[in-house]
Amino acid sequence: MISLDRVTRIFNSRDGESVVALQDVSLDIKRDEFITLVGPSGCGKSTLLRIVAGLILPTAGSASIDGEPISEPRSETGIVFQAPTLLPWASVLDNVLFPLRMMHRYDSTSADRAVALLKLVGLAGFESKSPRELSGGMQQRVAICRALVHDPDILLMDEPFGALDALTREEMTLELLRIWSEKPKTVLFVTHSITEAVVLADRVVVMSPRPGRVAEVIDVKLGRPRTFESEATPAFHEAAHRIRQLIYGKRNVGSAQNVG
Amino acid sequence: MSVQHKTSASKPRKRRGATYHEVVVPLLTTIAAFGLWEVVCRVFEVPSFLIPTPSEIWRETIAIGPAVAGHTMATLKTVMLGFIVSILVSLPLAVLLTASPAVSAAIYPLLVWIQSIPKVALAPILVVLLGTNELPRVTITMLVAFFPLVISIATGLMSVPPELLELSKACRASKLSELWRIRLPYAIPFIFAGLKVAISLAVVGAVVAEFVNSDQGLGFLIQTSTAFFKVPVAFGALIILSIMGVVLFQLVVIVERVFFPWSTGNAAAAV
């Protein structure tokens, strides 16, 4: 469905230097596949996500969705960022409906759909609450609803659980798997967490920095549905070990506990 | 997050405490200050043409009550007109300033230049230019008040998290709906911060304008009464001016609380 062919992106920094954020990245993603992108900071994960979103264009190479080159944002893509970035003046319901209003696609069924989505993420009854009355995890759930409200076929997630505490993070990971099984979508999920990457993904794309390249694409041979119990299986260990090798390969594995 | 929960949970109690702190305490200190003033003036027998006592000020001002009321209304009119015009001027200017770096580079130096002209010096020139009527007074009031407003609105328009702008782009929203649905609402707390500064400055601006050119208004009253050594009346006008400033400031605060309750308090933290 999403096809990246030797995508290169160069940024010109203010002092005139050019930085290669991505170099010759090729990747083919099937419909309804769950792909996670892992790698240290500066490996171009977010850049890759924004190219698929149509927010930035590749300097060289081509990116396409269903054979159509991505030249601008397409309306069938949903995005979730690291910070929930909800509108502080709008209710939870209005926050979820926000993209529809921006796209002029608000109609009589929109509110019902938003309410159903909020129920799906366990926020039934919170429709009229203000974002600041919600915890960080709840705010991020609202942001996920906001990304799903126009029923996109591609969901892009840029470290969506990065700002949450460890427990909420695990909970949200399982929640996302449940939502994904109920509403299958092609998901591109950027993360710093190897565990998260393996538990979620059909395939893990491991990236290496400076310049950002795909180091390896790893098939996760874990059955679904998954839980964090899956961490105990050999298939999980095999995948996680391989990712660690790729990321820390040239460095001292023992001291590098924290990626990026 | 837990901190925010705590604040919202303890709101009722906080509000009752706030009324006490915002109303009762300032009122008591004000009364005490006037009392002290009265006592000091009487004990040291300060002549009333230097510093009159509060009771004298009250008496002399009430004696020409209707005239003072007329002057107050005249000043209030200039202040409000100048304030409204400065909002009308500042909003589009701030939008222009944030539209693009090129536009900003073109307009910003001009704004700073206008701001750095001493308005008191400009006032007589404006009277020659615009005539002896309300127009130069409103213009001076606006010129005194608008700059901080432009800066705070522009800052607010730029305070939107970049992700939201990306979201807006991803929704293929126009620049206009980005401004209307994201940037302007985000700027509300900043706009009100600017309005609070501007309303106080508008009072100053109106008085400056009345000093230079007017046959009515509290600034005019202060000038004429000091010329005839009616110092208590001048003090009375001064006190009315300061009350006007406080009341108008509080009105801005109330408008913000009533219409944009999310703007007050920890709006920034909720982002």
Side-chain angles (χ1 to χ4, degrees):
Chain A
M1 178 181 199
I2 304 172
S3 169
L4 303 172
D5 186 26
R6 281 172 285 121
V7 167
T8 298
R9 173 70 213 198
I10 298 166
F11 287 109
N12 293 313
S13 63
R14 256 183 215 157
D15 45 12
E17 273 179 71
S18 57
V19 179
V20 183
L22 282 175
Q23 190 165 43
D24 291 324
V25 170
S26 296
L27 191 64
D28 275 295
I29 300 170
K30 292 189 284 290
R31 186 169 285 277
D32 295 343
E33 197 174 15
F34 205 124
I35 299 286
T36 51
L37 298 169
V38 224
S41 295
C43 68
K45 304 183 296 274
S46 295
T47 307
L48 191 63
L49 207 73
R50 277 163 178 76
I51 285 176
V52 175
L55 290 168
I56 52 181
L57 297 174
T59 312
S62 77
S64 62
I65 293 172
D66 289 332
E68 288 281 316
I70 310 170
S71 57
E72 58 176 357
R74 79 197 254 286
S75 45
E76 300 312 314
T77 302
I79 309 177
V80 182
F81 303 99
Q82 179 170 358
T85 55
L86 301 177
L87 311 173
W89 58 87
S91 68
V92 164
L93 186 67
D94 283 328
N95 264 291
V96 175
L97 291 170
F98 182 66
L100 292 177
R101 294 218 169 93
M102 291 295 271
M103 287 189 270
H104 304 290
R105 276 168 55 179
Y106 184 86
D107 58 40
S108 53
T109 63
S110 301
D112 289 341
R113 213 160 59 235
V115 170
L117 271 172
L118 284 167
K119 198 174 165 218
L120 179 71
V121 301
L123 285 178
F126 283 82
E127 290 82 4
S128 57
K129 288 257 189 292
S130 143
R132 69 165 120 169
E133 296 175 82
L134 269 51
S135 70
M138 287 162 127
Q139 290 192 18
Q140 198 56 286
R141 280 167 214 242
V142 176
I144 291 172
C145 289
R146 179 176 68 185
L148 294 175
V149 73
H150 54 297
D151 201 22
D153 51 10
I154 297 176
L155 184 57
L156 305 173
M157 308 184 89
D158 192 1
E159 295 183 51
F161 308 145
L164 303 178
D165 64 83
L167 293 177
T168 313
R169 193 172 178 148
E170 290 202 350
E171 194 189 326
M172 292 293 289
T173 307
L174 298 179
E175 189 92 334
L176 178 62
L177 279 177
R178 190 174 60 76
I179 295 167
W180 179 67
S181 64
E182 281 189 35
K183 291 181 176 288
K185 304 195 179 301
T186 313
V187 183
L188 210 55
F189 186 103
V190 168
T191 178
H192 275 140
S193 155
I194 292 171
T195 312
E196 201 170 80
V198 176
V199 167
L200 285 169
D202 294 316
R203 288 189 294 160
V204 180
V205 176
V206 185
M207 299 187 68
S208 65
R210 282 173 287 275
R213 275 167 292 125
V214 173
E216 197 171 306
V217 180
I218 296 165
D219 274 302
V220 180
K221 300 183 193 72
L222 275 175
R224 288 188 190 272
R226 294 176 190 169
T227 61
F228 278 92
E229 318 281 277
S230 315
E231 268 191 71
T233 62
F236 180 95
H237 280 291
E238 191 190 315
H241 180 68
R242 182 67 194 135
I243 297 169
R244 285 209 173 83
Q245 270 186 333
L246 287 163
I247 292 174
Y248 302 125
K250 292 153 215 149
R251 291 191 252 157
N252 182 357
V253 179
S255 67
Q257 286 298 314
N258 204 347
V259 193
Chain B
M1 288 306 123
S2 59
V3 178
Q4 283 174 33
H5 271 300
K6 218 185 275 168
T7 37
S8 63
S10 65
K11 226 170 215 168
R13 184 193 292 175
K14 209 180 115 194
R15 194 146 288 168
R16 237 175 289 135
T19 2
Y20 176 73
H21 283 294
E22 281 172 23
V23 180
V24 180
V25 174
L27 215 61
L28 286 177
T29 41
T30 312
I31 292 168
F34 274 104
L36 188 69
W37 178 354
E38 183 84 37
V39 168
V40 169
C41 281
R42 281 173 189 241
V43 166
F44 294 96
E45 290 173 352
V46 182
S48 80
F49 61 86
L50 288 181
I51 302 174
T53 61
S55 57
E56 261 179 309
I57 295 170
W58 178 256
R59 234 179 8 250
E60 302 270 319
T61 311
I62 289 298
I64 51 163
V68 172
H71 290 304
T72 306
M73 290 320 289
T75 303
L76 188 63
K77 183 181 160 201
T78 308
V79 171
M80 288 317 292
L81 282 176
F83 181 61
I84 289 164
V85 173
S86 62
I87 296 172
L88 295 179
V89 168
S90 300
L91 260 177
L93 267 179
V95 171
L96 271 178
L97 269 179
T98 53
S100 81
V103 180
S104 166
I107 301 179
Y108 193 70
L110 272 177
L111 284 181
V112 174
W113 181 64
I114 292 174
Q115 170 63 8
S116 62
I117 296 174
K119 304 305 174 305
V120 187
L122 186 67
I125 301 173
L126 275 178
V127 174
V128 174
L129 209 67
L130 301 171
T132 53
N133 51 44
E134 188 71 32
L135 189 59
R137 291 196 285 275
V138 172
T139 310
I140 290 161
T141 307
M142 184 275 279
L143 284 174
V144 171
F146 90 108
F147 189 75
L149 195 52
V150 174
I151 298 304
S152 53
I153 298 175
T155 311
L157 292 174
M158 300 300 277
S159 74
V160 180
E163 289 93 345
L164 262 180
L165 298 178
E166 282 192 320
L167 183 72
S168 160
K169 255 174 94 183
C171 292
R172 301 205 278 180
S174 65
K175 280 278 166 201
L176 194 68
S177 68
E178 179 189 297
L179 178 72
W180 187 246
R181 289 185 186 274
I182 301 179
R183 284 190 190 269
L184 269 178
Y186 247 96
I188 290 284
F190 295 83
I191 292 176
F192 272 91
L195 287 177
K196 286 172 204 164
V197 179
I199 192 73
S200 313
L201 287 176
V203 177
V204 176
V207 173
V208 166
E210 284 168 358
F211 277 171
V212 175
N213 147 51
S214 195
D215 48 10
Q216 52 177 351
L218 292 170
F220 170 77
L221 182 63
I222 289 174
Q223 265 201 329
T224 47
S225 53
T226 46
F228 295 104
F229 280 96
K230 287 192 213 151
V231 179
V233 175
F235 268 87
L238 198 65
I239 291 168
I240 295 170
L241 272 176
S242 58
I243 291 172
M244 186 190 287
V246 172
V247 169
L248 290 176
F249 183 91
Q250 287 303 325
L251 275 179
V252 175
V253 173
I254 289 168
V255 167
E256 182 179 18
R257 279 199 196 150
V258 170
F259 291 100
F260 309 98
W262 50 268
S263 164
T264 48
N266 53 356
V271 176

